[in-house]
Amino acid sequence: MRLPALLVLSGLALGAAACAGVEPPATGPLPSPAAGPAPSPVPGYDWFYHADEESARLAYGLAESDDLKLGLECLRGSGRLALNAIAEKGAKPEIHVESGGDTERFPASAEPSQIHDGVFLTAEASAAEPVFQRFRRVGWLAQWRNGEREAYAPQPESAPSIERFFAFCG
């Protein structure tokens, strides 16, 4: 599935913030955050949901900012997601996400960012991947960037947007 470039680039209108970083283990699986408490929302930052007749977008950021950390997009009922993220120049072209103990790495294409120093990453995935189904249940998603874990938790009033997004995507 190839989403229109306008959909992918529209995620840049939303911004992001990072929670505390945690060093990943040197070898073996990532530690299971399911054993600990869910991350807390960061004041001012949130998951923003937008849908029209054909497509939907869920992006973590600061309202009206162009600093995107992580965006998810889909076409209605497709069951497929486009993932968008900003990375530093020279970063491995992948988007590595985690939710409640499930983790997955998605190979990405990288293009020079028009807004930031670095690259704009785009990857595709099934909405049925365990990491996204866990996100749907627990309400938060983390991204691993440069060996640090950034957790993205919604503000209480926007938490239902996560389910609306996945219901729209199919």
Side-chain angles (χ1 to χ4, degrees):
M1 173 192 76
R2 201 76 183 145
L3 292 178
L6 181 58
L7 259 182
V8 173
L9 294 175
S10 65
L12 290 174
L14 300 173
C19 285
V22 176
E23 286 296 318
T27 60
L30 294 174
S32 173
S40 297
V42 174
Y45 292 89
D46 210 349
W47 283 101
F48 294 95
Y49 173 71
H50 174 75
D52 59 30
E53 287 298 314
E54 299 297 319
S55 62
R57 178 178 58 250
L58 185 67
Y60 185 83
L62 180 62
E64 300 181 31
S65 171
D66 63 356
D67 186 15
L68 174 71
K69 289 286 188 184
L70 186 61
L72 309 173
E73 302 176 23
C74 72
L75 297 176
R76 181 183 294 278
S78 68
R80 301 289 302 166
L81 303 177
L83 289 68
N84 321 108
I86 301 293
E88 294 71 25
K89 287 181 184 175
K92 186 174 182 180
E94 72 176 12
I95 298 175
H96 182 185
V97 293
E98 169 201 343
S99 186
D102 286 319
T103 185
E104 189 61 60
R105 297 171 191 261
F106 299 98
S109 62
E111 300 176 20
S113 174
Q114 300 295 318
I115 299 173
H116 304 280
D117 288 334
V119 295
F120 185 71
L121 299 176
T122 304
E124 294 185 16
S126 168
E129 290 281 348
V131 69
F132 297 123
Q133 292 305 303
R134 181 67 62 99
F135 173 38
R136 192 174 182 175
R137 287 190 306 277
V138 302
W140 63 268
L141 190 67
Q143 180 177 199
W144 286 87
R145 295 172 17 115
N146 294 327
E148 294 186 10
R149 181 177 175 266
E150 300 174 353
Y152 310 134
Q155 300 297 327
E157 62 275 4
S158 67
S161 295
I162 296 167
E163 176 56 29
R164 284 197 306 265
F165 174 77
F166 283 100
F168 182 99
C169 295

